[in-house]
């Protein structure tokens, strides 16, 4: 029998610690080896017990979860699943935690804690399992100005990437489609910050629950040359903009004359996900065809792999993140297995490769004119 996943639970609530320990210990493949009511106690437990995963609350006494996470990921990187209360501040803090290197998060209910956590039991243990096999890296060192909206902080906007020359008229007809799950918030950021202001429109599905995508879009909007926002049903999809599927909704693309239009609805989960990459990519195959570019980033499972192959069969050009740069290689691996990839690249090379290809399309267009 394989070794159990060893978990330490860090939360200032005795009730939450007890409930999480019980949920974990019910599983045959994991065990809660300890609980701590604040990060300073947790630090000593981690040193002594060397867990595989820790679950971490955000608001705690003596040192909050974000400060502790930042120190942990600099000094002893390890898989962390955040337990965040679903509030506006909770969403912003969760985005910060993912930037610092947390693998994933669970939105803790504000009321009905015992029943709420038990309803989330499957999600909690699934995320612990994913975290246990994730490729965790030391947290990057970034200034505060690079984390929050740079313009608001008085800092200069990020410099354009060397390849981010203006793309011109090609942006009016092309559409870039991105799918991601675990580890995807930082992977999406890495791609978007390099896209020029006149980039083709970008549509994105990142697996995320309701209440968190607004904060995610706002943080990206402050870092990018393009405008980043949550998708709104019926709005025109414009060049120079990126549209993120709202948490808990399905997002796909329709056509209205010569324009692409966002469709956001309450359709059923697909591949257990809502939003689902499969839904977005399938619509791109049907509506955008050879004018689409697909990008599959880090994530667990196979959501979007079959639809990405449909995109390729319809004429799209597809990029897939390579294993070495993924937090979790599941979705990219499945896309490759389905024959959907034209190029498999490290995360840091995807934007440059895409921009170079778009510039080539611009040059061919100008040559015809």
């Amino acid at each position: 029998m394989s070794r159990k996943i060893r978990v330490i639970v860090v939360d200032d609530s005795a009730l939450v610690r007890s409930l999480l320990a019980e949920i974990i210990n019910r599983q045959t493949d994991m065990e809660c080896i300890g609980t701590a009511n604040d990060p300073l106690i947790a630090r000593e437990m981690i040193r002594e017990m060397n867990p595989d995963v820790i679950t971490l609350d955000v608001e705690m006494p003596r040192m909050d979860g974000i400060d502790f996470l930042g120190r942990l990921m600099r000094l002893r990187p390890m898989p962390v699943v955040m337990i965040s209360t679903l509030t506006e501040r909770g969403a912003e803090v969760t985005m910060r935690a993912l930037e610092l290197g947390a693998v994933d998060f669970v939105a803790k209910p504000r009321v009905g804690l015992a029943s709420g956590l038990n309803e989330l039991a499957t999600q909690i243990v699934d995320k612990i399992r994913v975290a246990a096999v994730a490729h965790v890296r030391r947290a990057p060192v970034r200034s505060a100005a690079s984390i929050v909206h740079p313009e608001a902080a008085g800092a200069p906007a990020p410099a354009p990437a060397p390849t981010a020359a203006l793309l011109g008229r090609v942006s009016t007809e092309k559409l870039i489609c991105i799918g991601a799950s675990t580890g995807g918030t930082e992977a999406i950021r890495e791609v978007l910050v390099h896209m020029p202001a006149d980039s083709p429109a970008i549509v994105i599905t990142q697996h995320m629950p309701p209440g968190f995508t607004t904060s995610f879009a706002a943080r990206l909007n402050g870092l990018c040359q393009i405008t980043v926002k949550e998708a709104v049903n019926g709005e025109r999809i414009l060049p120079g903009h990126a549209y993120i599927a709202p948490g808990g909704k399905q997002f796909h693309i329709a056509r209205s004359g010569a324009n692409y239009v966002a469709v956001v609805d309450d359709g059923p989960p697909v591949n257990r996900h809502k939003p689902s990459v499969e839904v977005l990519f399938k619509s791109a195959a049907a509506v955008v065809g050879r004018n689409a570019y697909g990008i599959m980033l880090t994530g667990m499972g196979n959501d979007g792999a079959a639809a990405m192959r449909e995109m390729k069969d319809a004429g799209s050009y597809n990029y897939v993140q390579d294993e070495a740069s993924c937090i979790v290689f599941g979705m990219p691996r499945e896309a490759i297995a389905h024959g959907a990839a034209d190029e498999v690249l490290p995360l840091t090379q995807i934007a440059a490769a895409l921009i170079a290809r778009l510039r080539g399309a611009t040059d061919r267009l100008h040559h015809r004119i």
Side-chain angles (χ1 to χ4, degrees):
M1 182 177 175
S2 59
R3 188 174 72 89
K4 290 185 177 183
I5 300 166
R6 302 165 73 249
V7 186
I8 287 178
V9 172
V10 187
D11 197 295
D12 66 337
S13 164
L15 175 60
V16 171
R17 293 196 303 274
S18 173
L19 289 168
L20 289 176
E22 182 183 331
I23 288 167
I24 289 164
N25 287 330
R26 285 203 301 260
Q27 313 306 308
T28 59
D29 61 339
M30 63 182 67
E31 61 180 329
C32 178
I33 59 171
T35 66
N37 66 355
D38 77 43
L40 300 185
I41 295 171
R43 182 177 60 191
E44 298 307 314
M45 294 181 74
I46 290 167
R47 284 175 180 161
E48 292 174 12
M49 306 174 83
N50 193 28
D52 300 305
V53 179
I54 71 169
T55 71
L56 181 62
D57 189 15
V58 172
E59 295 181 346
M60 288 180 291
R62 296 213 282 176
M63 180 190 298
D64 73 26
I66 294 300
D67 288 343
F68 178 62
L69 178 66
R71 297 182 190 194
L72 182 69
M73 298 309 288
R74 284 194 303 272
L75 301 173
R76 191 193 185 285
M78 64 177 302
V80 176
V81 176
M82 301 301 295
I83 307 292
S84 303
T85 304
L86 180 52
T87 62
E88 185 176 343
R89 181 180 180 277
E92 292 172 0
V93 171
T94 299
M95 293 302 104
R96 177 71 178 124
L98 295 173
E99 289 174 348
L100 287 170
V103 174
D104 211 334
F105 68 95
V106 176
K108 182 167 59 177
R110 280 183 287 178
V111 294
L113 201 53
S115 60
L117 280 177
N118 276 311
E119 287 173 9
L120 292 169
T122 299
Q123 184 183 141
I124 291 166
V125 296
D126 282 350
K127 292 191 176 195
I128 290 172
R129 290 186 183 103
V130 172
V133 298
H135 301 264
V136 177
R137 296 173 183 81
R138 198 171 299 276
V141 177
R142 285 190 217 136
S143 68
S146 73
I147 300 299
V148 192
H149 298 274
E151 293 85 353
T163 51
L166 295 179
L167 300 173
R169 280 180 52 189
V170 71
S171 69
T172 62
E173 57 184 16
K174 303 295 183 182
L175 191 69
I176 299 164
C177 306
I178 300 178
S181 185
T182 310
T185 56
E186 283 301 279
I188 290 167
R189 181 196 60 78
E190 172 62 31
V191 174
L192 294 193
V193 294
H194 295 294
M195 298 307 294
D198 68 340
S199 163
I202 302 171
V203 290
I204 302 164
T205 290
Q206 159 73 44
H207 294 161
M208 198 171 277
F212 289 86
T213 41
T214 302
S215 180
F216 179 41
R219 293 179 81 81
L220 288 175
N221 189 54
L223 296 170
C224 297
Q225 300 171 72
I226 59 175
T227 298
V228 185
K229 65 188 297 293
E230 271 190 312
V232 174
N233 185 52
E235 72 181 324
R236 184 180 165 195
I237 302 294
L238 297 170
H241 290 64
Y243 301 85
I244 296 174
K249 300 286 186 181
Q250 295 294 12
F251 174 36
H252 61 273
I253 304 303
R255 194 128 203 177
S256 176
N259 300 321
Y260 300 123
V261 175
V263 180
V264 177
D265 59 35
D266 202 26
V270 174
N271 297 329
R272 299 193 308 151
H273 295 291
K274 186 177 177 182
S276 164
V277 179
E278 190 82 7
V279 170
L280 180 63
F281 281 12
K282 209 175 229 329
S283 71
V287 172
V288 189
R290 62 186 178 82
N291 284 321
Y293 294 86
I295 301 177
M296 185 71 84
L297 300 175
T298 175
M300 190 72 178
N302 64 356
D303 187 35
M308 193 178 209
R309 178 54 197 253
E310 289 182 29
M311 287 178 64
K312 182 173 170 62
D313 290 342
S316 74
Y317 194 89
N318 297 337
Y319 299 90
V320 173
Q321 186 177 351
D322 74 352
E323 182 172 10
S325 65
C326 280
I327 299 297
V328 180
F329 190 50
M331 284 163 54
R333 179 193 287 116
E334 290 297 320
I336 294 166
H338 277 75
D342 289 290
E343 294 186 50
V344 179
L345 296 172
L347 175 61
T348 54
Q349 295 179 21
I350 290 174
L354 173 60
I355 291 166
R357 194 163 191 86
L358 288 166
R359 288 178 64 191
T362 306
D363 293 343
R364 290 191 295 274
L365 177 64
H366 289 165
H367 182 71
R368 288 201 305 272
I369 294 171

